[in-house]
Amino acid sequence: MKNFTYHRPATLQMALPLLSDKWGPTELLGGGTDLLDRTKDYVSQPDVVVSLTGLGGAFREIQSAAGGPLPTITIGAGVHLTDIAESRLLAAYPALTAAAGQVAGPQIRNMATLGGNLCQRNRCWYFRDEHVNCLLKGGRKCFAQEGENQYHAIFTQGHPCVIVNPSSLAPPLIALGAVAKIVGPKGERELPLEKLYQAPVKDTQREHVLAPNEILVSVRFGGAGVPGGAMYRNASYEVRQKETSDWPLVQAAVAYHTDRTGVPKGVRVALGHVAPTPLLSESAAKALEGKPITEATATAAGEAAVEGARPLSQNEYKVQQTKVAVKRAVLLAAGVKPYWFAG
Ligand SMILES: Cc1cc2nc3c(=O)[nH]c(=O)nc-3n(C[C@H](O)[C@H](O)[C@H](O)COP(=O)(O)OP(=O)(O)OC[C@H]3O[C@@H](n4cnc5c(N)ncnc54)[C@H](O)[C@@H]3O)c2cc1C
């Protein structure tokens, strides 16, 4: 890998001035499980690496504050995935803890941070090959469009580059209505998490809308928004080729609240690994809103979720998997016995 200068500031205020206002010369390091792969493969060649491992306090904590029917949860961007998967403060959010517990394997989960997971770069094999000059590296062509595209996007319309966003934590957090807190040279700003993402088309863009000199500080969810006395339901379901050490083929996360009748309200459905960004599926949410959860409504939500899908030459199979993932996430959230597990 190319030599770089390494900084390990102790505060966000010390970290910010070390960052360039252009993508490339500087990189942030959370746990390094994505960044170091890229530097070793010469896909990223920063002159300066700014490690966030020296930051303490709220950046490394999961905090729960009373204030509404549900506590407000704030997770610092420096919290490791293992700690998210195992946190008792997150017991009401199985969509998130299950997704965190299924990322990669224990070694990666122990190192990887929330911020790094949400901001990790895509895993397209053309992008990750140092010899291939694809759109995202300043080239003129997306090689996956007509090449080996079995793991790529199925929502491709309007997308010159057909990567999938690789984060498994983004879909559950989006379903939970999380808000991202960001700091930069101009101060702090907040974004609904779904608005953190964009479909990149050139080398001066990332999979997210952060500026090169901004830092994701935390995500927040819960609190107000659920009526008193309501029950909050949520789940994530991943279709995986391997049980461990790989990304899901598709993922669906569902969240809603309900009274004793079990009818869902405020439904949010988010899809992962099917488009260049995590997708908030309004059509799937509409198919469920206000209707009793049954096998039929869960199936209808899955059908609605794939409206507009335009798979590539080798990944039509993901359309059916997406339907199944949505259906199973809906049934899991409702507490229906998962009949698809043997035994
Ligand atoms: C075999 C294998 C299987 C995997 N399976 C999965 C999976 O199933 N699901 C999944 O989601 N991931 C999976 N991953 C990816 C893994 O989860 C990521 O590598 C990890 O989450 C990145 O976290 P990190 O802290 O190590 O990031 P880093 O490598 O430190 O950073 C990643 C990127 O994010 C940026 N960044 C880091 N922190 C911040 C911040 N606070 N603000 C702004 N930018 C920041 C960095 O500059 C860098 O560009 C897998 C990885 C491997 C190797």
Side-chain angles (χ1 to χ4, degrees):
M1 86 173 70
K2 194 183 96 178
N3 284 348
F4 53 75
T5 306
Y6 180 75
H7 294 280
R8 192 168 178 262
T11 64
L12 286 167
Q13 289 64 34
M14 290 162 78
L16 287 172
L18 299 170
L19 296 171
S20 165
D21 61 1
K22 294 191 183 54
W23 285 119
T26 59
E27 287 277 356
L28 288 168
L29 181 143
T33 62
D34 169 34
L35 178 64
L36 295 182
D37 274 8
R38 276 190 274 124
T39 52
K40 287 177 193 168
D41 289 343
Y42 292 94
V43 173
S44 298
Q45 300 189 45
D47 302 314
V48 173
V49 169
V50 180
S51 168
L52 299 174
T53 57
L55 274 61
F59 192 76
R60 302 221 159 274
E61 289 169 5
I62 302 176
Q63 294 175 337
S64 172
L70 283 174
T72 300
I73 301 285
T74 307
I75 310 181
V79 174
H80 291 122
L81 303 192
T82 302
D83 296 323
I84 295 175
E86 295 175 0
S87 172
R88 273 190 282 169
L89 292 176
L90 300 176
Y93 304 102
L96 179 61
T97 53
Q102 288 182 81
V103 168
Q107 296 92 336
I108 301 274
R109 293 196 292 271
N110 287 340
M111 288 299 294
T113 61
L114 173 65
N117 185 275
L118 295 176
C119 298
Q120 63 178 298
R121 299 228 59 188
N122 73 86
R123 305 302 295 202
C124 172
W125 35 43
Y126 296 109
F127 172 73
R128 293 266 167 174
D129 184 334
E130 63 171 299
H131 304 294
V132 178
N133 199 23
C134 75
L135 277 184
L136 299 192
K137 292 189 286 189
R140 292 172 167 215
K141 185 171 172 183
C142 170
F143 291 87
Q145 289 273 8
E146 290 160 13
E148 294 295 328
N149 52 35
Q150 54 267 51
Y151 299 125
H152 288 72
I154 54 171
F155 290 91
T156 53
Q157 202 167 7
H159 294 311
C161 159
V162 289
I163 57 165
V164 292
N165 187 286
S167 172
S168 303
L169 265 57
L173 283 167
I174 288 171
L176 296 172
V179 172
K181 183 169 150 189
I182 297 152
V183 291
K186 294 183 193 146
E188 278 181 21
R189 62 183 179 121
E190 290 196 334
L191 276 181
L193 193 60
E194 60 272 25
K195 297 225 157 69
L196 182 73
Y197 292 101
Q198 66 177 355
V201 291
K202 50 189 176 182
D203 58 344
T204 52
Q205 292 178 327
R206 291 270 162 126
E207 291 79 353
H208 53 70
V209 299
L210 295 182
N213 52 6
E214 287 186 311
I215 300 175
L216 176 65
V217 178
S218 61
V219 296
R220 189 186 73 235
F221 54 92
V226 175
M231 282 175 286
Y232 195 56
R233 302 276 196 180
N234 58 92
S236 164
Y237 188 89
E238 298 175 6
V239 180
R240 287 178 166 270
Q241 200 161 19
K242 292 193 250 165
E243 282 292 312
T244 182
S245 302
D246 208 351
W247 285 257
L249 297 167
V250 309
Q251 177 187 17
V254 176
Y256 62 86
H257 58 84
T258 176
D259 58 19
R260 287 189 190 286
T261 63
V263 172
K265 303 231 171 74
V267 181
R268 286 171 69 90
V269 180
L271 309 177
H273 310 274
V274 290
T277 63
L279 286 184
L280 189 61
S281 174
E282 285 177 17
S283 42
K286 210 167 140 199
L288 288 173
E289 185 76 27
K291 301 186 186 125
I293 302 243
T294 61
E295 179 123 2
T297 48
T299 303
E303 293 285 343
V306 297
E307 278 170 17
R310 287 224 183 146
L312 299 163
S313 57
Q314 299 178 1
N315 69 4
E316 199 166 348
Y317 72 99
K318 284 177 103 178
V319 174
Q320 176 61 19
Q321 289 184 340
T322 306
K323 294 184 199 174
V324 171
V326 170
K327 176 181 172 183
R328 292 186 178 187
V330 170
L331 293 177
L332 269 180
V336 174
K337 185 168 178 288
Y339 60 83
W340 52 87
F341 291 127

